[in-house]
């Protein structure tokens, strides 16, 4: 085995003399030095962590980094609180004002607040505990993003609807369904609770009754599309249901004659039939209903029976002349 040389001071001669050291001896010393270093390091870490409760430098650094990120996420959550409250306010105004004006259905809460279905979008966070702020912030940010998207789409729909606002005025059922000639009709039963004329039981009357002779012309009270035409022995008898859009529908019941068919486009003032006594009726009359967004409303709030007769007749005559319907020849204005 090769030997290593080293110089050693001789205290007697005060000279440096060569001393030979075997490689084996040198290797043993190195091993012992490394082992001693490891042992001392282990004792140091044991004393620092278990005895004195100190943390390793890397642990301290990681904790500081983690604390900074938690502070940022807490700030982000406080900002999202503000954005969420603002979105909620926008949603309330959207449903109760903007969409209501144009007769649009409100957006259900389950749509506004819906999460994300399908695959697990947060599989990469499964390693975190359920109460992890990182997990909750990620989920909340996704939900807030979707709520913002839903609200944005709602405003797009309202914008498109607002461009049709001019059409809305002609679609609202704003005129009487029969000519306002007081010598030809009588308001026999208003909207609201009343004693049923057949059973005598108190019951909600969902429309307005115009008592008049059979054959009196009945006119569409607003532009719209004929949704259905029914011929029943009981109930409404011969009736017409018109969808005016913007949330409005009207029904004309107990007719003698019906001049329209399902799917037909109508203008306000077009004749749709004649009053009669069909269905569940105690006498000839027109039962007229107005529905807004699926609920019955008082028709009296929409028409004005004091409307001048000549003005009403002029409207009917003009519409009859301009009508493109095949059966327009049978539409006769009030005389």
């Amino acid at each position: 085995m090769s030997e290593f040389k080293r110089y050693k001071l001789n205290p007697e001669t005060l000279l440096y003399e060569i001393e030979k050291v075997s490689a084996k001896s040198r290797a043993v010393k190195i091993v012992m030095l490394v082992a001693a270093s490891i042992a001392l390091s282990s004792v140091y870490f044991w004393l620092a962590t278990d005895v004195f409760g100190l943390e390793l430098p890397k642990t301290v650094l990681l904790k500081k980094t983690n604390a900074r990120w938690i502070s940022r996420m807490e700030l982000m959550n406080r900002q999202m609180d503000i954005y969420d409250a603002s979105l909620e306010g926008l949603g309330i105004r959207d449903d109760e004002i903007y969409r209501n004006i144009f007769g649009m259905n409100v957006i259900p809460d389950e749509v506004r607040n819906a999460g994300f279905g399908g695959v697990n979008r947060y599989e990469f966070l499964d390693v975190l505990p359920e109460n992890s702020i990182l997990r909750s912030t990620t989920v909340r940010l996704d939900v807030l993003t979707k709520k913002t998207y839903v609200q944005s789409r709602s405003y797009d729909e309202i914008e498109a609807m607002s461009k049709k606002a001019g059409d809305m005025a002609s679609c609202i059922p704003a005129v009487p369904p029969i000519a306002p000639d007081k010598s030809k009709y009588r308001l026999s039963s208003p909207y609201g609770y009343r004693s049923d004329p057949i059973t005598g039981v108190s019951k909600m009357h969902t429309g307005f009754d115009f008592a008049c002779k059979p054959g009196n012309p009945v006119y569409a009270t607003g532009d719209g599309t004929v949704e259905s035409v029914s011929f029943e022995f009981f109930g409404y008898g011969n009736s017409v249901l018109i969808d005016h859009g913007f949330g409005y529908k009207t029904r004309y019941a107990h007719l003698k004659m019906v001049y329209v068919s399902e799917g037909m486009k109508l203008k306000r003032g077009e004749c749709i039939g004649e009053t009669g006594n069909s269905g569940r009726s105690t006498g000839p009359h027109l039962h007229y209903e107005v529905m807004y967004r699926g609920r019955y409303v008082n028709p009296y709030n929409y028409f004005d029976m004091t409307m001048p007769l000549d003005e009403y007749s002029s409207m009917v005559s003009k519409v009859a002349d301009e009508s493109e319907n095949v059966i327009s020849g049978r539409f006769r204005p009030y005389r």
Side-chain angles (χ1 to χ4, degrees):
M1 182 177 290
S2 60
E3 297 179 343
F4 293 90
K5 296 179 180 180
R6 70 176 182 178
Y7 291 92
K8 183 177 181 181
L9 179 65
N10 188 335
E12 294 181 358
T13 62
L14 299 178
L15 295 175
Y16 284 96
E17 298 176 353
I18 297 175
E19 183 181 13
K20 295 181 179 181
V21 180
S22 66
K24 181 177 179 181
S25 175
R26 183 180 178 85
V28 170
K29 289 182 179 179
I30 293 174
V31 171
M32 291 180 63
L33 181 62
V34 171
S37 299
I38 294 174
L40 287 174
S41 299
S42 300
V43 171
Y44 167 77
F45 285 122
W46 175 74
L47 290 174
T49 56
D50 291 353
V51 177
F52 298 106
L54 301 178
E55 294 179 338
L56 299 177
K58 186 175 181 179
T59 303
V60 173
L61 180 61
L62 289 175
K63 284 191 173 182
K64 287 183 178 180
T65 303
N66 185 59
R68 285 198 299 270
W69 280 109
I70 289 178
S71 297
R72 292 177 182 177
M73 286 187 285
E74 288 176 347
L75 177 60
M76 183 185 298
N77 274 278
R78 287 196 293 270
Q79 290 174 333
M80 284 194 290
D81 287 338
I82 298 174
Y83 299 150
D84 201 8
S86 298
L87 266 179
E88 185 175 354
L90 290 174
I92 292 174
R93 288 198 298 272
D94 186 28
D95 287 338
E96 297 184 359
I97 300 177
Y98 309 136
R99 301 183 73 86
N100 190 39
I101 288 175
F102 296 107
M104 303 169 67
N105 292 328
V106 301
I107 299 177
D109 290 339
E110 56 269 23
V111 175
R112 286 191 182 275
N113 302 319
F116 297 87
V119 297
N120 182 9
R121 294 173 54 87
Y122 312 107
E123 185 177 359
F124 65 99
L125 296 176
D126 287 346
V127 295
L128 300 175
E130 288 295 329
N131 60 348
S132 168
I133 187 172
L134 178 59
R135 174 187 287 272
S136 61
T137 302
T138 302
V139 174
R140 189 178 183 191
L141 185 59
D142 275 358
V143 173
L144 191 62
T145 301
K146 181 178 181 184
K147 290 173 69 174
T148 304
Y149 172 76
V150 171
Q151 186 60 66
S152 176
R153 287 297 303 272
S154 176
Y155 282 149
D156 290 342
E157 293 175 2
I158 292 172
E159 180 186 11
M161 188 64 72
S162 67
K163 294 178 180 178
K164 302 178 182 178
D167 301 332
M168 183 178 179
S170 60
C171 291
I172 295 176
V175 299
I178 62 175
D181 185 351
K182 294 184 179 180
S183 65
K184 302 294 184 179
Y185 74 91
R186 175 175 58 87
L187 300 178
S188 58
S189 184
Y191 172 89
Y193 282 93
R194 66 168 187 178
S195 294
D196 188 282
I198 296 178
T199 64
V201 177
S202 179
K203 188 178 180 181
M204 181 65 182
H205 186 233
T206 57
F208 212 92
D209 288 350
F210 299 86
C212 53
K213 294 181 179 179
N216 202 44
V218 177
Y219 304 98
T221 56
D223 295 359
T225 303
V226 178
E227 180 174 307
S228 65
V229 177
S230 302
F231 301 94
E232 303 174 354
F233 188 75
F234 296 104
Y236 289 119
N238 302 333
S239 66
V240 175
L241 180 65
I242 299 177
D243 185 352
H244 301 278
F246 303 97
Y248 290 97
K249 293 184 181 182
T250 54
R251 178 180 281 115
Y252 313 77
H254 307 301
L255 302 176
K256 174 184 177 182
M257 300 290 294
V258 175
Y259 296 154
V260 295
S261 58
E262 294 182 5
M264 184 178 291
K265 303 291 185 181
L266 298 175
K267 292 290 186 181
R268 176 185 289 155
E270 285 194 271
C271 185
I272 62 173
E274 299 178 1
T275 58
N277 192 30
S278 61
R280 189 175 182 273
S281 173
T282 57
H285 72 287
L286 170 68
H287 175 81
Y288 174 65
E289 294 176 345
V290 176
M291 288 152 279
Y292 178 61
R293 294 168 62 180
R295 300 179 62 183
Y296 292 103
V297 293
N298 192 344
Y300 197 76
N301 295 331
Y302 290 89
F303 60 72
D304 181 11
M305 295 307 294
T306 63
M307 179 179 183
L309 182 57
D310 57 347
E311 182 179 329
Y312 192 93
S313 299
S314 176
M315 174 193 68
V316 171
S317 298
K318 181 180 178 181
V319 171
D321 293 339
E322 297 176 351
S323 176
E324 298 179 355
N325 290 313
V326 176
I327 59 173
S328 62
R330 300 184 63 182
F331 287 7
R332 54 193 179 90
Y334 173 81
R335 292 287 186 266

